[in-house]
Amino acid sequence: PSPKSFQPNGASEEALRCEIEELKQKDVALDQEIAQLLSEGYSLEELDKHISLLHEYNEIKDAGQMLLGKLAVIRGVTTKQLYPEYDLELSD
């Protein structure tokens, strides 16, 4: 393939510019959110701890969802049908 085939065309360049702009806006919004939390008395260490705990929670939840999925396959039911058996809410 020619080197030109690896260069983005005009539409792709524009899409990349838009994506970069969106990411910049998200960065500004996150900076504002952090500043707001700091002004409310939260510390960076506390925020880091909360983020770490959220990551841990999500990993555990993903593992639980995977196990429920495997159990559902073994039993020939949907995961939704298993929720009441384990006292889980659909929003869990």
Side-chain angles (χ1 to χ4, degrees):
S2 70
K4 182 160 178 88
S5 66
F6 290 104
Q7 295 176 351
N9 62 27
S12 295
E13 287 178 20
E14 183 59 30
L16 288 174
R17 280 191 201 96
C18 288
E19 186 175 349
I20 289 169
E21 187 57 37
E22 287 174 10
L23 290 172
K24 286 179 181 178
Q25 290 173 1
K26 285 182 184 179
D27 185 46
V28 168
L30 288 172
D31 285 344
Q32 290 172 343
E33 195 172 333
I34 290 169
Q36 175 67 32
L37 291 169
L38 292 173
S39 73
E40 292 174 6
Y42 293 97
S43 69
L44 287 177
E45 294 79 19
E46 188 177 10
L47 294 174
D48 285 341
K49 180 66 176 173
H50 284 287
I51 290 169
S52 176
L53 290 171
L54 283 171
H55 284 294
E56 185 177 347
Y57 166 80
N58 284 329
E59 289 172 5
I60 292 168
K61 183 177 177 183
D62 289 346
Q65 290 293 325
M66 183 182 67
L67 290 172
L68 275 177
K70 289 181 184 269
L71 183 58
V73 169
I74 290 169
R75 292 188 181 177
V77 298
T78 65
T79 54
K80 182 178 178 180
Q81 291 171 307
L82 293 176
Y83 273 60
E85 183 177 339
Y86 295 98
D87 295 322
L88 299 171
E89 297 291 327
L90 287 177
S91 60
D92 287 342

